[in-house]
Amino acid sequence: MKVRFVDLAAQYRETEKEISRLNDALIQRSDYILGQDVRYFEESFASYIGCRYAIGVNSGTDALFLGLLSLGVGRGDEVIVPAYTYIASAFAVTYTGARPVFADIDEATFNIDPQTIERVITKRTKAIMPVHLYGQAADMDPIRKIARKHGLRIIEDTAQAHGAQYRGRKAGSIGDIGAFSFYPTKNLGAFGDAGLIATNSKQLYQKLKKLRDYGRISKYVHGSIGFNSRLDSVQAVFLNAKLRHLDVWNQKRIGVAEMYDKYLGDIPGIRLPRVAGYGKHVYHIYAIRVKNRDKVLEGLISAGISAAVHYPVPLHLQPVYRHLGYRRGDFPVAERVCRDVLCLPIHPHITKKQIIYVAQTLKRLVKHV
Ligand SMILES: *Cc1c(COP(=O)(O)O)cnc(C)c1O
C-alpha cells in the first residue's frame, strides 16, 4: 500500500469548482498584483485569526523577514530563536543583519522552552521568535511575561499552525507580529509560494505595507527602502477558496492523530506526541520518537509509506551557523529530538486503512530493527 506524506491533489478536488470560478473572474478583471482577491483574503484571514490587520506577502520567509524589519531589528541586534525549527526562522533574522541566538526546546511540545530564554538575553536582544512547531502553540504567557520584563518584541513563526489555539486565542495573533507561510504543504497552502503578516498595530501595518511594495508613498514616490514581496492575486484566489475548508481539514487532522494515538499507544518503544493543556493542536505534523530512527524510517519507506524527519540537524549545529560558535551539547533537548524524531503521514484525506497500515508496519519495525 502506498501512503503519501501529503495529498495536495485531493485538496484541489474539493475546491476545484470554487477555484475555477474565482480564477475566471480574476482573469477577466486582470488585477493580478494586489487586486481584489488579495484584499479579500487579507480581510478574511485577519478575521479568521482575530487580528486587526493582515498583509499578504510572497512567502513565509519574507513574512518573518519583513516582520522583523518592521520591529526595527537590524545590524547589532539579537533575536532569540528555538534551536529546533526549520532553517527559515533563523535565516529571516540573519537577512536583517541581526544575529540569531538559540534557546532549547521543551521535550513534551518540541517548542521553545521559556525557561531557557531568559538565560540568553543580553543588552542587544531585541525580540523573541517563538515557533508554533508541528501545529501546536508555544507556551505564550511565560514568553510574554519575559518580553514585558525585558522590553522585547515578539514575532510568532506561525508557518505550521494556521488555526492552532493558545488559551482561546489563535496562534499568530498574540505577539506583536504573526508570520504565516502558505507553502503548498502547510495546513493552508497556496499553489506556489505565499505568506502573510498579521498584527494588531496600525503603525506596524502601515510600515509593512510599504516594506512589501518598494517603500511606496504613491505610485512613483518612494519614502524608504522596500522590497518586491507582494502576494499574487492568483495565490489569493486559491487561498480564498481553501480558507473555508481549513477548520474542517484541521478537524480531520485531529481525527487522524487520535487514531494514531489509539493504534500506536500500546507499542513499547514509541513515544507519542503530547498535547499541552493550554490549547488546540492542528497537527501540521504528527511526530513520534523511536529508537533506531533511521532504520525504522528506511523500513517505512520500503513499505511504501512516506514518513520523514523534520528535522535531523538542530540550527546551532548547521554548517551555515558555524561562525556563531555553538557546540554539540549546547541544547541537549533539541539534539536528542533530532536523533529520534519521526514524522508520520498526516493529512485531511488519509484513509483509516492507510492509518492502520502505517501503525501495523511501525509495530513490526520497532520490534525487529
Ligand atoms: C515553512 C516554514 C517557513 C518558511 O515558509 P516559506 O513560505 O517556505 O518561506 C518558516 N518557518 C517554519 C517553521 C516553516 O515550517
Side-chain angles (χ1 to χ4, degrees):
M1 194 186 294
K2 269 239 172 300
V3 188
R4 274 187 259 240
F5 199 69
V6 291
D7 188 350
L8 299 181
Q11 282 186 24
Y12 180 65
R13 283 193 292 277
E14 263 193 71
T15 48
E16 187 174 1
K17 279 211 186 78
E18 182 70 354
I19 286 171
S20 298
R21 190 179 69 75
L22 293 172
N23 210 31
D24 287 346
L26 166 62
I27 291 165
Q28 292 302 325
R29 273 197 322 278
S30 301
D31 53 347
Y32 298 120
I33 304 292
L34 299 181
Q36 102 181 23
D37 297 293
V38 173
R39 281 193 300 279
Y40 185 79
F41 179 66
E42 288 172 338
E43 280 164 27
S44 313
F45 198 78
S47 114
Y48 176 76
I49 63 162
C51 244
R52 227 167 287 157
Y53 307 103
I55 302 97
V57 294
N58 69 6
S59 70
T61 305
D62 265 24
L64 290 166
F65 169 53
L66 301 182
L68 288 163
L69 288 181
S70 75
L71 295 173
V73 171
R75 201 161 293 285
D77 295 330
E78 294 176 354
V79 177
I80 298 171
V81 177
Y84 184 74
T85 171
Y86 184 54
I87 193 77
S89 313
F91 272 3
V93 175
T94 302
Y95 299 155
T96 68
R99 177 190 174 100
V101 169
F102 300 117
D104 211 348
I105 55 165
D106 172 62
E107 189 120 33
T109 64
F110 304 104
N111 280 321
I112 194 163
D113 178 351
Q115 297 194 333
T116 66
I117 293 177
E118 218 157 10
R119 241 177 258 165
V120 297
I121 291 175
T122 71
K123 287 195 302 290
R124 292 177 294 279
T125 309
K126 194 96 177 222
I128 307 170
M129 183 191 291
V131 180
H132 306 303
L133 205 72
Y134 296 161
Q136 173 156 247
D139 194 358
M140 293 302 289
D141 281 349
I143 295 171
R144 286 171 69 209
K145 206 164 148 198
I146 294 165
R148 239 190 337 263
K149 181 170 156 200
H150 296 272
L152 308 177
R153 313 303 292 270
I154 296 175
I155 176 166
E156 303 173 65
D157 182 339
T158 322
Q160 302 190 1
H162 319 76
Q165 289 182 25
Y166 180 80
R167 302 198 191 285
R169 294 168 76 182
K170 290 248 169 68
S173 72
I174 300 163
D176 298 284
I177 295 272
F180 290 83
S181 162
F182 305 115
Y183 184 83
T185 59
K186 310 283 180 175
N187 287 30
L188 179 62
F191 282 62
D193 280 308
L196 178 140
I197 305 159
T199 183
N200 281 311
S201 155
K202 186 165 186 187
Q203 196 203 345
L204 292 177
Y205 171 65
Q206 283 165 342
K207 267 198 201 171
L208 286 162
K209 280 220 298 197
K210 290 192 196 120
L211 278 167
R212 77 157 169 199
D213 193 25
Y214 294 112
R216 258 191 192 118
I217 298 171
S218 62
K219 191 160 169 69
Y220 291 116
V221 182
H222 307 269
S224 52
I225 293 278
F227 299 83
N228 178 351
S229 182
R230 299 168 299 220
L231 175 66
D232 288 326
S233 295
V234 69
Q235 299 301 344
V237 157
F238 288 110
L239 291 166
N240 280 323
K242 285 182 163 190
L243 180 56
R244 299 175 197 184
H245 297 261
L246 178 59
D247 281 340
V248 172
W249 286 345
N250 277 344
Q251 211 49 51
K252 288 191 175 166
R253 286 174 182 272
I254 292 167
V256 176
E258 283 167 358
M259 275 202 252
Y260 274 138
D261 286 349
K262 186 173 112 192
Y263 295 125
L264 301 175
D266 54 0
I267 305 179
I270 294 184
R271 251 200 288 180
L272 300 181
R274 292 242 300 273
V275 183
Y278 53 61
K280 177 173 162 183
H281 194 323
V282 293
Y283 291 100
H284 174 59
I285 296 280
Y286 186 90
I288 61 167
R289 298 178 64 187
V290 289
K291 278 208 285 289
N292 301 317
R293 190 265 322 276
D294 293 337
K295 283 256 162 58
V296 174
L297 175 64
E298 222 172 86
L300 288 171
I301 303 274
S302 14
I305 297 164
S306 299
V309 174
H310 299 214
Y311 301 93
V313 181
L315 298 198
H316 66 290
L317 299 180
Q318 289 285 353
V320 63
Y321 283 131
R322 202 169 290 145
H323 64 282
L324 295 179
Y326 289 102
R327 282 168 205 288
R328 195 167 292 282
D330 282 346
F331 303 108
V333 183
E335 291 170 29
R336 268 206 299 281
V337 171
C338 285
R339 272 196 297 275
D340 62 13
V341 74
L342 180 62
C343 310
L344 303 183
I346 188 165
H347 58 78
H349 301 90
I350 194 170
T351 64
K352 187 171 176 185
K353 259 205 188 117
Q354 289 177 312
I355 295 166
I356 292 172
Y357 175 64
V358 173
Q360 284 173 340
T361 311
L362 250 177
K363 191 171 190 167
R364 178 170 55 75
L365 286 165
V366 169
K367 222 190 274 170
H368 298 293
V369 302

